[in-house]
Amino acid sequence: MKKPSTGRPFARLGACAAVAGLVTVGLSATPALADSDQLWVNASPWQLVLPKASETGPQPAPSTLNLSLSHDNAANQVVDGRITVDISGLAGIAEVTWPEACAPAGATTAVCSVPEVPGTGNDSPLKVPVQVRAAVGAAVGASGRISYQATAATTTGEQLTSGEGWTDVRVASGPDLSVAALPPATGVAPGATVPVPLTAVNNGDQPVNGVQVTYYVTRGLTLNGLAPQCVSAPAGSGQGPIHPVTKVDCAYDDVVEPGGTFTLPSPLTATVAPYGLYERVDVGVQPRDGAEDLQPEDNGALKAVTVTNTADFAVRGARLTAAAGETVTAQVTFRNRGPAWVANLGSGDPVGRVDVTVPRGATATAVPDACEPRTADGGWWEGEVRTGAPRYSCNLPIWVAEKQTVVLPFQLRVDTVVTGAKGAVVLGPPYGTEPLPFDPNRANDTAKIVLNPAV
């Protein structure tokens, strides 16, 4: 499980693929490279469904197409980004309102400025919000396209050019619930309570006849103030009685007219458990009457809650005795001593990694599924099988409860008796070498496997 996600998917212009909500659309031209760098135009959402315009009354709220730039090579500083946006494909279908960053260059084109271009993987604060609404008279089903292409320059003077991308636009009729963003809460103490408000606006041209609200709540939070009709159930794979996420479904009979707003009948809050650390509430809304929401990408929001807490991760090795030719099992053990649980439910990354070096004179004949073979210096192992490597990198789960133990059994065959042969057991982050930020005691992050210790 990656996470219970409610964020907007976005389009990244590149090879055609769709992975875990990331939608990637094809390039019509090969981007230019400079020092192995590549410029990208990112668009969110990947398509626009516009409510039909009113012939006489107030118009539905415009939809927003957020454009931004990124580049691949973090060693380059890229500036002077310019996105050329072509709306000629919207003639008679939709109208566009340009933001301040965009300068019209004719009736159907504008050039939008992005002074600094961040590296790939860094969410750009410099988004270009292009507002789009259906043209009066455009029929349901009418469709068009917004096209865009970008240029930028490195500070060494090299030019980058993206491929051409596009966002399809379609006119439809129906409700369109849009949930307001929720600010994160940081530095929250265990036992404290944080607000979890919910506001949803119907940006469609048809009413919403009843609202279905769904929450996914991590186990370090307890919701307060839920309506009596709300139903809770565990979600996600658990460990015995412990489940990382609780799903809460709430049905409301409210009718939300076009332009109207839905709010909860009473304030909702979340209380942090003593074991809370990286917590979140994901909320999503849907029309209850079976109507299809026009733009479901904005039907959800995330309330991130970062708790001031610690989790003492520790590892334990083994001391074993065996004669030449014998095989023994080294039970390498990880334990979260708490007080916090740790969960990477948003990224889906393991909470940590345990690096195991095989003692001299021994061969690993069976290794845990979570462990990948490495060379002695930590490089990629080129062997045809996973056994027999001198070192292993073992991923921990994506969440571990407080006081939870993970055992990594290694079967070691003693080929040559080496008195006091030692293999290192080292706990670290899932990627890189920076210490785990929540671990207050690094003294127990290392251990040893000792074969045939000296008497």
Side-chain angles (χ1 to χ4, degrees), residues 1 33 43 65 110 167 170 183 186 381 397 448:
M1 165 179 138
L33 301 178
L65 174 66
T167 295
R170 176 169 58 89
T186 59
W381 172 253
K448 294 185 182 299

Side-chain angles (χ1 to χ4, degrees), residues 196-233:
V196 187
L198 173 62
T199 300
V201 177
N202 181 9
N203 290 326
D205 67 323
Q206 297 296 320
V208 173
N209 297 307
V211 179
Q212 183 73 29
V213 181
T214 301
Y215 296 96
Y216 288 92
V217 188
T218 55
R219 67 178 289 262
L221 297 175
T222 299
L223 292 184
N224 312 303
L226 289 168
Q229 70 269 26
C230 295
V231 178
S232 301

Side-chain angles (χ1 to χ4, degrees), residues 48 62-67 82-91 94-113 127-133 145-149 167 169:
L48 285 174
S63 299
T64 300
L65 174 66
N66 285 304
L67 300 175
R82 297 174 184 271
I83 309 173
T84 300
V85 185
D86 182 356
I87 60 170
S88 59
L90 298 182
E95 300 169 349
V96 166
T97 301
W98 299 112
E100 290 184 4
C102 299
T108 61
T109 305
V111 179
C112 305
S113 176
K127 291 182 171 62
V128 178
V130 179
Q131 293 192 330
V132 188
R133 71 166 79 234
R145 174 173 287 183
I146 301 174
S147 301
Y148 30 81
Q149 191 169 18
T167 295
V169 179

